[in-house]
Amino acid sequence: MTVNALFVGSGRDWDTYAPALIAAFARLPRHVVLKADHAPDTVDYIVMAGSHIIEDFSPFIRCKALLRLWAGVEDIVHNETITFPICRMVGGGLDQGMVEWVVAHVMRHHIGMDRHILGQDGIWRDGFVPPLAEDRPITILGLGALGTACARALSALGFPVTGWSRTTKDISGIRCLSGPVGDALTQAQGVILLLPKTPDTEHILNAETLAKTAKGAFVLNPGRGPLIDDDALLAALDSGHIAHATLDTFCTEPLPDSHPYWAHPSVTVTPHIASATRPRPAADVIANNLQRGEEGRPFLHTVDRTAGY
Ligand code: NDP
């Protein structure tokens, strides 16, 4: 029997992901037909990149699951017309990509790379010795798939890493906390946000919590823009309490060109590129979950609709 998979995304998403998905589906025992235009009442699975295209999912009467190509689900998780499981992307190159982005930006701030990269002006800037990693405590808010991978990578480089999550974790070499976020931020010299956007995480970094960090700390936000109270961060940057913020995600994307982040000397803006879903490994994740559905096994990476992620 044929399985119909509906691809939801832009033309660019189709060009990027469809070839790898078609190849992965071809390795499954069932014949899976991936198209962008199946009739809703014939669809068995929705493979979704972008979400803006469908608001009412009620015509998808036989759909078994929505298989997301992205990690974030804040745009669909509260859609009550989705009555089937939502599975988000875990793996698919996201973890490795995020580790590489986070480690690169941590090391930039840690060893003070800008001092030499931006200062090719004939001035011999010696005399600055950065602390060793072991003397630079770093806190990661969010110890999920990505936060845990980054925590392990930074810990392997010698940084004392504190991780904070909703439920208590036990990860070797990482100081794992839950409870008041201020406890996790106290004296942190680097803060990395890898939380989902939910009502509970909005403005988790605000004037009060920023004040807990060590003076001169850096902030990386590859999580979601609303995790940060922008006014509070700008004030902390202006006062020098926060030395630098490298921001990949924003409340409005693309970041409007009038936004003060663009012109601020202590802010680096990157355009939501910290970690992209990579087609080949992501297609394997999607195909594996589809096959589980066909075998009547539980789906992997299902979203908790109540928690919102
Ligand atoms: P996970 O769902 O695996 O992890 C989320 C983590 O946040 C979990 O540890 C969870 O706690 C914690 N958390 C959620 N709510 C709270 C809360 N109220 N208080 C404390 N901790 C909380 O997500 P991923 O690691 O896969 O991804 C994290 C985020 O990264 C995504 O939601 C997305 O926004 C962003 N992202 C950004 C990308 C980019 O390119 N910029 C690319 C991919 C993802 P617990 O473990 O207890 O559930």
Side-chain angles (χ1 to χ4, degrees), residues 88 143-146 164-167 169 196 222-224 248 275 309:
R88 62 188 204 93
L143 269 185
L146 302 181
W164 182 75
S165 53
R166 198 164 56 93
T167 57
K169 310 275 179 221
R224 283 294 181 262
D248 186 59
S275 188
Y309 65 98

Side-chain angles (χ1 to χ4, degrees), residues 204-239:
I204 198 99
L205 220 51
N206 52 43
E208 189 187 336
T209 54
L210 282 163
K212 301 276 184 190
T213 62
K215 182 167 168 45
F218 62 84
V219 170
L220 308 185
N221 185 13
R224 283 294 181 262
L227 301 176
I228 295 181
D229 175 341
D230 290 336
D231 291 339
L233 178 59
L234 285 163
L237 288 160
D238 288 341
S239 76

